[in-house]
Amino acid sequence: QVQLVESGGGLVQPGGSLRLSCAASGAVVRIDAAGWYRQVPGKERELVAVFTKVGTTTYPDSVKGRFTISRDNAKNTVYLQMNSLKPEDTAMYYCNADVVGPFRRYFGLWGQGTLVTVSS
């Protein structure tokens, strides 16, 4: 059983930084592609960062220049570095990934989410 576990959320002041982590646990060979999404109550889930299997990264204008997605292949972990945080970045953040196991691939796995609150 492969799972994604997010961590790193919390309360931060406007202008501050946080780094979210998404660790793939279980029988994992590698993470092929992954993305970070966020959602606030009453709104649709929004993509904030993604890297593809070939290494392309994409960010929406709302976070471009402030958020950076990266990964540590040795740890099977994906990160989201968030700088210059704004109150409108407040949301539940979710990791989504395509994971390769020793015997099968897992497409579109979701983690349980980690809450980010930006407030003074």
Side-chain angles (χ1 to χ4, degrees), residues 20-44:
L20 307 183
S21 299
C22 171
S25 64
V28 178
V29 173
R30 68 178 184 271
I31 297 175
D32 263 358
W36 285 94
Y37 295 74
R38 65 187 181 188
Q39 189 170 27
V40 296
K43 292 190 176 182
E44 293 187 357

Side-chain angles (χ1 to χ4, degrees), residues 40-74:
V40 296
K43 292 190 176 182
E44 293 187 357
R45 196 167 289 190
E46 170 193 24
L47 175 69
V48 295
V50 65
F51 71 77
T52 67
K53 187 175 180 180
V54 296
T56 305
T57 56
T58 303
Y59 307 91
D61 289 342
S62 59
V63 307
K64 196 173 294 182
R66 300 188 298 121
F67 290 11
T68 303
I69 188 171
S70 63
R71 60 177 161 178
D72 184 329
N73 292 330

Side-chain angles (χ1 to χ4, degrees), residues 6-7 92-95 111-115:
E6 297 105 330
S7 61
M92 185 71 79
Y93 283 71
Y94 298 90
C95 176
Q112 82 289 351
T114 186
L115 181 62

Side-chain angles (χ1 to χ4, degrees), residues 91-108:
M92 185 71 79
Y93 283 71
Y94 298 90
C95 176
N96 176 275
D98 294 342
V99 177
V100 178
F103 307 111
R104 59 162 293 186
R105 294 174 180 263
Y106 301 82
F107 294 100

